[in-house]
Amino acid sequence: MAARYTKDHEWVRVEGDVATCGISVFAAEQLGDVVYVELPAVGRQVEQGGEMAVVESAKAASDVYAPVTGEIIAVNDALTSNPEKVNEGPEGEGWFVKIQLTKPGEVDALMDEAAYAAFAKA
Amino acid sequence: MGERTGSLKHLPLDALWRASAKKFGDFAGYDMPLEFEGLIPEHHWTRTQAGLFDVSHMGPCFFALPKGHGLEGDAAHRAVAAIIEELVPGDIQGLKPGQVRYTTLLNASGGCLDDLMIARPAEPGAAGDLYIVVNAGTKEQDFALIAQAAAGRANLVRADDRCLLALQGPAAEAVARAVISDDLGAISFMQVKRFDAFGRLTITRSGYTGEDGFEILVRAEHAGALAAALLADERVKPIGLGARDSLRLEAGLCLYGHELDETISPIEADLAWIIQKRRRALGDFPGGARILEEIAEGPTRRRIGIRPLERAPARDGVEIHKDGRKVGVVTSGGFSPILNAPISMGYVETALAVPGTRIDLMVRGTARPAEIVALPFVPHRYRKG
């Protein structure tokens, strides 16, 4: 399915009942050069809108919030040694986590690409 | 991005920077360019070529004996310097013509109210004048404090309606000689001179990046022409406040509000070198008893450099632990583009302030191993005389 976006600039792409999540191209551009990513432990339960990860650019640390509720079933370990992947492909190779959805309906309320583009520009 | 924020003050060259800066943000009440090309490329450019920084938010001023003071040369200088020495621990009377000193304004308990530069002009006609530059966030209090201490014996004339441009990096000298005056080659680190170009310039060979370079005071009506002439050289790029901070941190230099505040003495900040022999012998500055005792016995805490052993940066406010006990705090932290690693500065109990000491940094509740290291992180490349 196509990506959906949160107001906090996370994206989520759902296949079956698993959501792959990361930060948007817009967010990565705003951050500038990412130098560190702190990912949650596999098995952790996250709530939509709750703290999930931390991304640090050269100048500041920013929280990344869970776009959906569920269990972390995988994290992108490559970001630990190569945080620049977040800048190179924020909505591709720079994904953060995979979440096993417990409230699939939450996804429908997120913005689609057109709505998010308008939101990010505002 | 890009929109002007109503309540913030703007730099005289705001329009110039707005044409190329990607990000602006509030610093000390000024809407400042934070980033142009990007923090990391701007940082590397400054270390390899020359960066142009607009630091017009800072507080330059002239502090001068009243007109008709009747004193000449050294006598005039000593008279004005004696007044400012009531507030700072540096030997200002001992400045030679054209010499600049870094010092701190002290409160009665020996804590730092600000850090600043004080220069004795090189020109004989300016005897009895001092050129002073204080920080942006503290300038109102500083100017009031200095004027009050002077109590009519000298006058403070603000110059913060002018522009202050810093040209920093290994190419700074060649560019400045070509654009401003070939005579700039003759002044060394921590010297000052006036130049009749772009109106009249007051130039110190100084900066806050660890690189060679100049800080140039220019009247606002000439600043655009000067900035354009400097930027026309392909070795010069504009640099934002983001890279100014990472360059400062790599150079191990104090930032007021972080490594220095009203509770921290110059000795704790590892700035004993700013208190010259004459002042040390006299102890005649605010907080003199505490500071002399700390020189003799050692302070209870001391500023240090920190290298985290993992990738997580440890920023201002992170607690420093040793064997499960809190022993200090991080005051600045971030990422060093030159070392390609996180770096921090902070304070620890003096007994632990030894390079090689292992500590833990409590980053978001997790203990991250780190090592205390000597400062600076990246060697200074000043042009000493």
Side-chain angles (χ1 to χ4, degrees):
Chain A
M1 88 172 243
R4 297 274 184 150
Y5 298 85
T6 71
K7 287 183 174 167
D8 297 313
H9 307 286
E10 293 92 13
W11 59 266
V12 56
R13 199 172 277 126
V14 177
E15 285 169 57
D17 57 359
V18 173
T20 304
C21 317
I23 65 167
S24 71
V25 171
F26 175 80
E29 282 172 2
Q30 287 291 300
L31 284 171
D33 296 296
V34 171
V35 297
Y36 179 71
V37 179
E38 192 166 287
L39 296 167
V42 170
R44 201 178 112 188
Q45 301 289 327
V46 292
E47 292 260 335
Q48 186 180 42
E51 287 175 16
M52 177 180 81
V54 176
V55 59
E56 299 213 22
S57 69
K59 65 180 177 297
S62 306
D63 286 317
V64 178
Y65 302 104
V68 289
T69 301
E71 181 186 333
I72 304 288
I73 56 167
V75 298
N76 187 0
D77 285 322
L79 300 185
T80 309
S81 45
N82 297 99
E84 64 276 8
K85 280 181 184 291
V86 176
N87 295 109
E88 290 162 8
E91 299 190 26
E93 275 197 24
W95 63 276
F96 277 40
V97 301
K98 291 181 190 291
I99 299 175
Q100 178 93 46
L101 296 173
T102 53
K103 296 179 183 170
E106 287 174 342
V107 178
D108 299 329
L110 299 178
M111 288 177 273
D112 64 17
E113 200 175 338
Y116 176 69
F119 170 77
K121 221 181 281 176
Chain B
M1 285 184 301
E3 70 268 40
R4 292 171 66 111
T5 314
S7 59
L8 295 176
K9 285 180 272 192
H10 293 97
L11 301 173
L13 296 182
D14 184 79
L16 173 66
W17 308 129
R18 218 155 275 275
S20 53
K22 275 200 297 199
K23 261 177 232 169
F24 277 75
D26 174 13
F27 184 82
Y30 283 81
D31 198 17
M32 298 292 291
L34 301 181
E35 222 171 278
F36 288 87
E37 192 183 343
L39 189 155
I40 292 175
E42 289 169 40
H43 184 114
H44 284 298
W45 187 267
T46 306
R47 291 251 183 264
T48 54
Q49 299 284 338
L52 183 64
F53 303 75
D54 190 339
V55 290
S56 307
H57 60 313
M58 294 185 75
C61 70
F62 292 93
F63 187 65
L65 295 178
K67 282 205 167 57
H69 55 74
L71 298 170
E72 284 179 26
D74 286 343
H77 171 69
R78 280 197 304 272
V80 72
I83 301 168
I84 205 77
E85 280 188 359
E86 294 169 16
L87 302 173
V88 304
D91 183 3
I92 308 305
Q93 294 189 50
L95 285 178
K96 298 182 189 77
Q99 193 184 0
V100 184
R101 259 186 186 144
Y102 173 77
T103 190
T104 61
L105 286 173
L106 295 172
N107 62 24
S109 50
C112 293
L113 296 167
D114 199 8
D115 58 336
L116 66 162
M117 295 284 187
I118 301 181
R120 174 179 177 179
E123 297 72 24
D129 288 10
L130 296 174
Y131 170 51
I132 299 175
V133 183
V134 303
N135 277 304
T138 43
K139 65 181 176 182
E140 299 301 331
Q141 303 95 286
D142 291 355
F143 289 158
L145 179 73
I146 294 168
Q148 192 187 1
R153 296 174 294 165
N155 300 315
L156 186 148
V157 180
R158 293 176 73 133
D160 60 336
D161 58 336
R162 304 190 197 179
C163 282
L164 191 61
L165 301 176
L167 183 68
Q168 301 278 295
E173 177 178 319
V175 172
R177 288 174 74 162
V179 171
I180 298 168
S181 166
D182 198 47
D183 295 342
L184 275 164
I187 70 170
S188 301
F189 183 63
M190 296 302 265
Q191 290 190 330
V192 64
K193 201 168 189 309
R194 283 187 196 158
F195 290 87
D196 288 319
F198 300 92
R200 173 180 270 185
L201 306 175
T202 298
I203 302 182
T204 56
R205 193 153 194 163
S206 59
Y208 228 55
T209 59
E211 297 296 327
D212 182 27
F214 303 93
E215 292 174 300
I216 306 164
L217 185 71
V218 52
R219 288 189 184 278
E221 63 266 31
H222 295 290
L226 174 59
L230 293 170
L231 290 167
D233 191 301
E234 61 182 14
R235 292 166 290 188
V236 180
K237 286 185 180 181
I239 308 296
L241 218 51
R244 180 171 164 82
D245 193 52
S246 55
L247 290 158
R248 179 286 295 180
L249 181 56
E250 276 186 347
L253 300 171
C254 294
L255 176 62
Y256 194 78
H258 292 258
E259 285 70 41
L260 293 174
D261 68 28
E262 292 180 9
T263 72
I264 297 172
S265 77
I267 309 306
E268 291 177 321
D270 211 9
L271 299 175
W273 59 270
I274 72 171
I275 310 174
Q276 287 81 19
K277 204 169 148 191
R278 189 185 123 251
R279 302 304 305 280
R280 234 177 249 222
L282 294 169
D284 60 340
F285 39 81
R290 171 193 175 183
I291 287 172
L292 292 184
E293 188 190 327
E294 286 181 351
I295 291 172
E297 311 290 332
T300 55
R301 58 181 171 175
R302 196 184 286 279
R303 181 169 64 99
I304 47 150
I306 302 164
R307 287 285 301 264
L309 301 178
E310 299 173 349
R311 299 290 297 176
R315 300 180 193 270
D316 184 20
V318 165
E319 287 189 3
I320 301 171
H321 286 209
K322 173 81 177 168
D323 303 326
R325 185 174 66 87
K326 187 187 171 189
V327 295
V329 66
V330 171
T331 48
S332 287
F335 183 77
S336 161
I338 295 295
L339 301 175
N340 187 28
I343 54 172
S344 298
M345 285 197 285
Y347 281 84
V348 293
E349 297 170 1
T350 300
L352 297 173
V354 179
T357 303
R358 288 294 182 97
I359 51 174
D360 289 316
L361 302 170
M362 303 305 289
V363 180
R364 293 179 287 272
T366 304
R368 303 282 186 185
E371 187 175 289
I372 292 174
V373 298
L375 292 170
F377 297 100
V378 172
H380 296 160
R381 298 195 290 182
Y382 301 137
R383 206 279 217 155
K384 299 279 173 81

